[in-house]
Amino acid sequence: MRAVLVKTLADLRRRRLQAAVIFLTVLFAMAAGTTAVTLMSQTRDPYQIAFDKQRGAHLQVAFNATTDRQLMSNTPALIGASASGGPYPASNIQFRFGDRKFYVDAVGRDNPGGAVEVLSITSGRWPLANDEIVLTRSFSELNRISVGDRLKVTSVAQTPSLTVVGEVVDIDEGSADLSSQRAWMLPAALPALSTPDSSFYLMDYRFPTDPTSAQLQSSLDRLKTSLPAGSVAGSLNYLLIRSIFNITNQILTGVLVAFSVFALAATIAIVATLVTGIVISAYREIGIMRAIGFTPYQVVEVFALQIVIPALAACLVGVTAGTLASQPLLANSSHALGLAYTPTFSIGLDVLFLFGGLLVVAVAATVPALRAAQLKPIVAITKASAPRGAGGRLLRQGAARLRLPRPVVLGIGDAFARPLRAILTLVTVLLGVATIVVAVGLPRSFELINNSETGAGNYQVIVTRTSAYPDSEVMRLLNAQPQTARVVAVGGQNVIVPGVGDPVNTHLFRGDSSRLGYMVVAGRWYSAPGEVVAPAALIRDAHLKIGDSFTGTANGQPLQLRLVGETYDINNLGHSLFMDISTMASVTPAVEPFLYDITLTHGSDVSSYVRRVATAQPDLLDVRASDTSLIAPVKIIDLVLLILAGVLGLIGVGGVFNTLLLNTRERIRDTATLKSLGMSPRQVVVMVGASAGLLALVGGLAAMPLGLTLHHLLNDAISGSAGNDTPPAAYGVFAAWELTAIPLAGVVVAIAAAMIPGRWAARSNVVEVLHAE
Amino acid sequence: MKELVRLTDVTKVYQGGITGALNGVSLAVEKGEFTAIMGPSGSGKSTMLNLVAGLDRPTSGSVSVSGTDLGKLGETGLARFRRDHIGFVFQFFYLLPNLTALENVLIPAQLKGDGSTDRGRELLEKLGIADVADRYPARLSGGQQQRVAVARALINNPTLLLADEPTGALDTHTGEQVMELLGDLHREGQTILLVTHDAKLATRHAARVISVMDGKIVDDARLASPERAPSEVIRMRSEEKLR
């Protein structure tokens, strides 16, 4: 064994560059994989821990403000709940802080404890007076509101001020950047802040065991049938909130798993290429080793250990780095859930991953090394290297027919001279370029969808009015502004859709809503009263197809609707309806818009417009520029994608570099011969560069369909997780020239990487090389 | 006759000066000559050939071929020089294994930008191996491989044909055939510089035999008629000088 180690270490010293390539590729693969595995193993647990600790509600139901309190109090027994909270009076209020206005659902509660939905106070205290309010920490941090700050309620005419006295973590709602938020006050404080159309009751239910989605739906159905019609105004369940909490980590985990598999596959390809190359070029050495007493398997050990030793170092560093990299994400989850962050990792899992990775690399190294064991010593010792066949002949002949310069023709032939090596190299290029395609495409798709959700480029200003300021006044004010080019007013009202458990939120438009930028996935945008469009989740749950007519219920009255198109909307996870306000007016004549999307004339100054309109009614209007920035989770995913693309791209370049190094070293005698025949150093470099260019071109071209397919699948998975189908426009985010430019850029990078072995070959001393043979 | 090659006080030292391959060698070769350089292993004869081919550079002294001072050329210049002026035949043929015989022959011409295959085929025909033009080196006999190497060396009509132990890897009969071929080329006017340790071969075909020992020229015999100059004479003269 000592001899094996001595020989292995000596070979490692001689092949430092190859050891470095192995170290880096294994490191990247292990780091990405460990991050994913750590996230996967932990993301389910923190929510459950916090949910149990804070006695989270399995089901939350909003009841109409007119519902009888006694009836509500009987509901826990009706649906078999083991514990309940409420009914709590609640009201949707608007308040102003600084120059910004916010909506929250203010809930009246005497204390933060109870049998269900314990609110964990993270800062300050519970309200003691009617002018005190507690916010969620998530909301406070997002909007930079602190304990002690004063908020002016603008949704009621008296505009009372409230003092923020505490911050809590509520396990029964999503984070502020993804969901609407609640705030808490003493129950006695609510009447002064409520209006008839904004009030409701909230009840929390907890069951003996965690119910399934079907069980929750069944409980909700029982509530609806047992109470007077229209009593149930809405509901929320823990499964949905858990998925909102975990959505970022889930997407990240999916992306990381996919790319760690990519990285590992690329690593296997590189390891196999390397070991095959080393064995091929070391025939004489193998023969000598056998001649002096190495057994066949000791020879294999020498070659496999040359890979396993740097891989072991990379696994150790990679697993540690991956575990560390996952910690900020886990800390973020713990923070959001109100849990104290403690470094979370599983030594068992890390060890398993370390040995798993090492095993894969060891197998990838051992299989090609077995060839060395099969060699007869005398054959090996009499041949300097493995015989080279006529590989690449067809390519060379093809290139020659194109009358390309001879160095280019030779380089093209060399690229595929060893077909297996070429294929393995193509795998690394393929994976690298495919990842780059995804990393370029997915953020664009995100941006496109984000633009459709935020109206980027279609409207610049959003105005929200309180009920104290009539719609007609808002329109008069907006139309009086010379910079106003178009106003689309938006209202909302819940509609009960057959087959869908919860009332569906509707977007009721007045004006040309087709110009707001909503993306149509299928069918068309509505164009007449009675026509609606909806996202995929609603269409699926209601068992509808485009062209179907159905009868909804709004305001207790039947509403005839016809589905004419599918749109994209992540709000309420794809459960919403879009229609003209006149459609709703047929059953609710009093329905009015409360939000206004304003398109300004070209060249208008958005800030001065916002200031001017806001000053007209500072308390009754919320005027702000449309926020088109990406939400934090999307930014994180974009960043991770970018890093992964960089890593996989580097592995791809490493694969090409590695193969060229092997090819160049293996063919150095041929190169020396060519130089002796008059090939100039520049022509040598061109020859090596042509090899690199061809490998990168073939790999890059093959990678484009793979990358585009992966981009397609990831888009579908992400859209699907938010209850939507991917809009066709989100697939087609690549310009035709980019589809050509990406593989060509890969060719340029590969040729640049080829400069090192190319220049080495060009500078090699012909006499020394030929003498050494 | 016109002088083609001149080595002036050439010294070549390898391995940081520990061993000297050539030690102050001066030599002139005229156009049209068939010169053999003889000597035992390590005497410096191959080094001399490599310097003339511009494959290596002298530690001191100068080498000029066809009036070109090779010391003044860079790597690219030397590559062009070899393409234009030198044909090289190696002991172990050094054919490119992934090219056919014809492709191997054509390589030097193609490096110059000449895409024609006519002369390549013509040379293979002339050397009697036209029938193996499309075969890969692995499927050729040693003699055939060396003939391909000779054809490759001649493809650009070199001013000077260098042959480093061209029969070293061949059996006697095949080696003799290759030497006959070189003799024929010489008779057609080709200048040849041959390195060999086989005195019999050298004296049978070359008109001038230079003996090298320990990096120095120890004898330079011009033979009016090679056929009448028995190898034994050369051997005796060399031994006398060494004494």
Side-chain angles (χ1 to χ4, degrees):
Chain A
M1 189 63 193
R2 186 180 164 80
V4 170
L5 267 180
V6 167
K7 175 76 173 97
T8 303
L9 293 175
D11 284 354
L12 266 177
R13 276 194 293 275
R14 194 175 64 182
R15 300 189 175 112
R16 282 190 293 267
L17 190 59
Q18 286 167 2
V21 170
I22 291 296
F23 178 83
L24 288 174
T25 52
V26 175
L27 174 72
F28 291 140
M30 295 305 287
T34 311
T35 307
V37 168
T38 310
L39 283 178
M40 269 200 296
S41 68
Q42 303 291 339
T43 45
R44 286 186 191 89
D45 291 336
Y47 182 81
Q48 197 61 43
I49 293 164
F51 186 75
D52 292 340
K53 193 177 156 194
Q54 296 178 40
R55 296 196 284 278
H58 288 118
L59 179 65
Q60 301 168 74
V61 178
F63 292 95
N64 195 300
T66 58
T67 310
D68 181 73
R69 283 187 74 99
Q70 187 57 45
L71 282 177
M72 283 189 284
S73 301
N74 294 338
T75 53
L78 191 70
I79 59 172
S82 55
S84 65
Y88 303 117
S91 181
N92 185 255
I93 65 168
Q94 187 193 51
F95 65 80
R96 183 150 69 96
F97 176 68
D99 59 352
R100 290 171 302 155
K101 293 199 180 67
F102 305 94
Y103 280 98
V104 292
D105 286 333
V107 179
R109 266 177 81 159
D110 288 319
N111 60 68
V116 186
E117 197 189 14
V118 174
L119 299 167
S120 168
I121 298 177
T122 56
S123 175
R125 59 168 173 79
W126 194 251
L128 296 172
N130 286 353
D131 63 346
E132 294 179 344
I133 190 167
V134 162
L135 304 172
T136 62
R137 182 174 64 184
S138 169
F139 180 81
S140 299
E141 287 178 349
L142 184 69
N143 300 302
R144 296 193 179 86
I145 300 174
S146 309
V147 171
D149 284 341
R150 288 182 68 76
L151 316 174
K152 188 173 185 180
V153 179
T154 53
S155 50
V156 289
Q158 298 80 5
T159 64
S161 286
L162 302 173
T163 303
V164 179
V165 295
E167 290 174 3
V168 299
V169 169
D170 180 16
I171 195 65
D172 292 329
E173 57 186 313
S175 57
D177 53 353
L178 295 173
S179 332
S180 61
Q181 295 289 286
R182 290 186 195 142
W184 292 266
M185 307 179 70
L186 293 177
L190 270 186
L193 305 177
S194 304
T195 57
D197 59 346
S198 68
S199 300
F200 59 98
Y201 283 105
L202 186 68
M203 276 207 71
D204 300 333
Y205 303 95
R206 194 170 162 83
F207 295 90
T209 54
D210 291 343
T212 61
S213 180
Q215 287 168 328
L216 289 165
Q217 190 56 52
S218 159
S219 298
L220 197 61
D221 290 344
R222 200 169 307 142
L223 282 178
K224 285 176 185 168
T225 52
S226 308
L227 296 173
S231 297
V232 174
S235 72
L236 197 58
N237 67 58
Y238 78 112
L239 296 172
L240 178 67
I241 295 164
R242 182 160 77 184
S243 68
I244 290 172
F245 258 112
N246 292 338
I247 195 161
T248 308
N249 283 357
Q250 277 173 350
I251 293 172
L252 270 181
T253 305
V255 168
L256 283 167
V257 167
F259 289 110
S260 60
V261 169
F262 269 31
L264 204 59
T267 303
I268 291 169
I270 287 181
V271 166
T273 310
L274 255 179
V275 178
T276 311
I278 293 171
V279 172
I280 283 170
S281 61
Y283 265 35
R284 183 163 294 155
E285 204 175 316
I286 292 166
I288 293 168
M289 284 164 71
R290 295 288 305 280
I292 61 172
F294 278 82
T295 67
Y297 291 103
Q298 281 176 322
V299 173
V300 173
E301 280 174 39
V302 167
F303 287 108
L305 276 175
Q306 286 176 40
I307 303 300
V308 170
I309 289 173
L312 174 64
C315 283
L316 287 170
V317 178
V319 166
T320 310
T323 305
L324 290 175
S326 63
Q327 295 309 302
L329 293 164
L330 292 171
N332 195 36
S333 297
S334 299
H335 180 77
L337 292 163
L339 297 172
Y341 164 69
T342 47
T344 25
F345 60 92
S346 157
I347 290 182
L349 197 70
D350 282 358
V351 169
L352 191 71
F353 206 70
L354 189 150
F355 284 106
L358 203 59
L359 183 70
V360 169
V361 174
V363 169
T366 305
V367 171
L370 288 172
R371 181 176 179 171
Q374 292 161 351
L375 283 174
K376 289 194 173 80
I378 193 61
V379 173
I381 210 161
T382 51
K383 290 182 178 177
S385 63
R388 281 161 288 186
R393 179 175 41 168
L394 291 175
L395 273 173
R396 203 171 44 246
Q397 287 170 348
R401 269 196 285 277
L402 292 173
R403 298 196 170 278
L404 294 171
R406 195 65 202 179
V408 175
V409 173
L410 290 172
I412 285 173
D414 284 352
F416 286 84
R418 297 235 183 247
L420 179 63
R421 182 183 297 171
I423 289 167
L424 291 171
T425 309
L426 290 179
V427 168
T428 63
V429 174
L430 185 93
L431 296 174
V433 175
T435 312
I436 289 168
V437 170
V438 172
V440 169
L442 217 47
R444 290 184 182 176
S445 302
F446 288 159
E447 192 181 349
L448 205 67
I449 289 167
N450 182 68
N451 287 350
S452 86
E453 294 276 325
T454 60
N458 294 298
Y459 55 92
Q460 295 77 38
V461 178
I462 299 171
V463 172
T464 314
R465 71 176 176 90
T466 63
S467 53
Y469 196 66
D471 168 55
S472 56
E473 288 299 315
V474 179
M475 288 306 293
R476 189 172 301 125
L477 174 67
L478 296 177
N479 288 331
Q481 309 302 318
Q483 292 87 357
T484 302
R486 184 175 66 244
V487 178
V488 177
V490 190
Q493 186 176 332
N494 287 350
V495 172
I496 294 167
V497 175
V500 181
D502 292 332
V504 175
N505 182 250
T506 58
H507 300 258
L508 308 169
F509 298 101
R510 187 181 66 203
D512 188 359
S513 61
S514 66
R515 296 172 73 180
L516 292 179
Y518 285 104
M519 287 194 282
V520 176
V521 179
R524 60 173 173 80
W525 194 250
Y526 71 81
S527 59
E531 292 183 346
V532 295
V533 292
L538 179 80
I539 295 175
R540 189 181 55 241
D541 291 354
H543 306 291
L544 293 172
K545 56 184 188 298
I546 292 171
D548 282 355
S549 293
F550 62 100
T551 306
T553 307
N555 204 20
Q557 295 180 60
L559 181 64
Q560 255 335 103
L561 302 169
R562 193 165 84 87
L563 183 71
V564 296
E566 181 187 334
T567 188
Y568 191 100
D569 183 35
I570 59 169
N571 294 304
N572 302 308
L573 297 182
H575 288 86
S576 49
L577 278 170
F578 297 74
M579 63 184 86
D580 194 89
I581 200 163
S582 61
T583 304
M584 189 62 75
S586 63
V587 291
T588 314
V591 70
E592 282 193 326
F594 54 84
L595 186 141
Y596 305 82
D597 294 330
I598 301 143
T599 308
L600 302 186
T601 53
H602 186 69
S604 300
D605 181 2
V606 176
S607 306
S608 64
Y609 184 94
V610 167
R611 269 195 308 277
R612 197 164 52 252
V613 176
T615 49
Q617 284 295 338
D619 289 340
L620 303 179
L621 288 181
D622 175 31
V623 187
R624 59 193 158 85
S626 175
D627 181 7
T628 58
S629 61
L630 292 169
I631 56 174
V634 174
K635 285 180 187 166
I636 293 172
I637 294 166
D638 283 357
L639 180 68
V640 169
L641 274 172
L642 191 70
I643 293 168
L644 286 170
V647 168
L648 265 295
L650 278 176
I651 290 178
V653 173
V656 174
F657 176 77
N658 175 47
T659 293
L660 290 173
L661 202 65
L662 289 171
N663 281 353
T664 312
R665 284 188 176 165
E666 196 180 307
R667 291 177 172 270
I668 192 61
R669 194 192 72 183
D670 295 349
T671 307
T673 305
L674 286 164
K675 286 176 76 177
S676 75
L677 298 175
M679 182 176 266
S680 69
R682 194 173 144 268
Q683 286 175 315
V684 173
V685 173
V686 168
M687 181 174 69
V688 178
S691 276
L694 182 67
L695 286 170
L697 185 67
V698 174
L701 289 176
M704 292 310 288
L706 175 70
L708 292 173
T709 305
L710 202 61
H711 172 248
H712 201 100
L713 292 175
L714 281 169
N715 256 317
D716 287 351
I718 293 167
S719 294
S721 70
N724 282 273
D725 290 336
T726 311
Y731 296 134
V733 292
F734 296 96
W737 68 268
E738 286 176 314
L739 298 177
T740 315
I742 291 174
L744 286 182
V747 171
V748 171
V749 173
I751 289 174
M755 288 299 108
I756 297 172
R759 287 167 72 97
W760 173 77
R763 286 175 182 167
S764 62
N765 186 303
V766 177
V767 175
E768 283 175 14
V769 172
L770 296 182
H771 185 70
E773 290 283 330
Chain B
M1 280 206 281
K2 194 181 166 192
E3 183 179 287
L4 187 64
V5 178
R6 171 160 288 280
L7 276 71
T8 310
D9 202 17
V10 168
T11 298
K12 178 67 187 177
V13 180
Y14 287 118
Q15 293 178 4
I18 299 169
T19 59
L22 286 179
N23 193 2
V25 170
S26 293
L27 170 72
V29 175
E30 290 177 347
K31 192 169 167 48
E33 272 190 328
F34 188 154
T35 306
I37 303 172
M38 274 183 55
S41 282
S43 59
K45 57 188 187 302
S46 290
T47 301
M48 207 184 290
L49 210 62
N50 291 336
L51 292 172
V52 172
L55 293 173
D56 207 352
R57 291 175 188 276
T59 309
S60 65
S62 67
V63 179
S64 67
V65 178
S66 273
T68 305
D69 183 350
L70 302 191
K72 290 181 177 169
L73 298 178
E75 283 303 310
T76 304
L78 284 173
R80 289 206 185 101
F81 159 78
R82 281 195 291 276
R83 259 184 239 162
D84 295 340
H85 295 285
I86 303 290
F88 211 126
V89 179
F90 299 95
Q91 179 181 358
F92 295 108
F93 330 131
Y94 291 150
L95 298 179
L96 299 175
N98 53 350
L99 301 186
T100 63
L102 180 61
E103 286 172 331
N104 263 289
V105 171
L106 293 173
I107 279 277
Q110 288 165 336
L111 288 171
K112 280 179 78 172
D114 179 0
S116 164
T117 60
D118 294 348
R119 178 158 166 76
R121 291 191 184 282
E122 192 182 297
L123 280 168
L124 290 176
E125 184 74 45
K126 183 178 171 184
L127 299 181
I129 47 172
D131 53 329
V132 298
D134 295 324
R135 283 197 204 161
Y136 285 88
R139 297 189 59 202
L140 299 179
S141 69
Q144 286 172 322
Q145 287 192 55
Q146 196 59 298
R147 281 165 188 266
V148 173
V150 171
R152 181 177 69 182
L154 295 174
I155 188 78
N156 283 341
N157 294 314
T159 322
L160 176 62
L161 181 64
L162 304 176
D164 189 358
E165 303 275 12
T167 61
L170 303 173
D171 61 62
T172 313
H173 176 66
T174 313
E176 194 56 49
Q177 284 182 330
V178 169
M179 287 308 296
E180 286 295 338
L181 176 63
L182 293 180
D184 289 346
L185 290 169
H186 172 238
R187 279 185 283 281
E188 289 169 17
Q190 179 68 54
T191 310
I192 299 173
L193 197 52
L194 165 78
V195 160
T196 180
H197 61 268
D198 187 336
K200 207 171 163 186
L201 272 182
T203 54
R204 190 175 303 153
H205 297 282
R208 181 183 177 192
V209 179
I210 297 168
S211 297
V212 183
M213 184 76 78
D214 295 335
K216 288 183 177 172
I217 293 175
V218 293
D219 189 39
D220 186 349
R222 288 178 189 277
L223 310 169
S225 170
E227 289 80 5
R228 290 201 305 271
S231 58
E232 191 60 17
V233 174
I234 302 296
R235 188 183 62 77
M236 287 169 65
R237 285 183 61 175
S238 298
E239 284 170 358
E240 267 172 36
K241 291 264 180 186
L242 290 171
R243 265 184 243 124

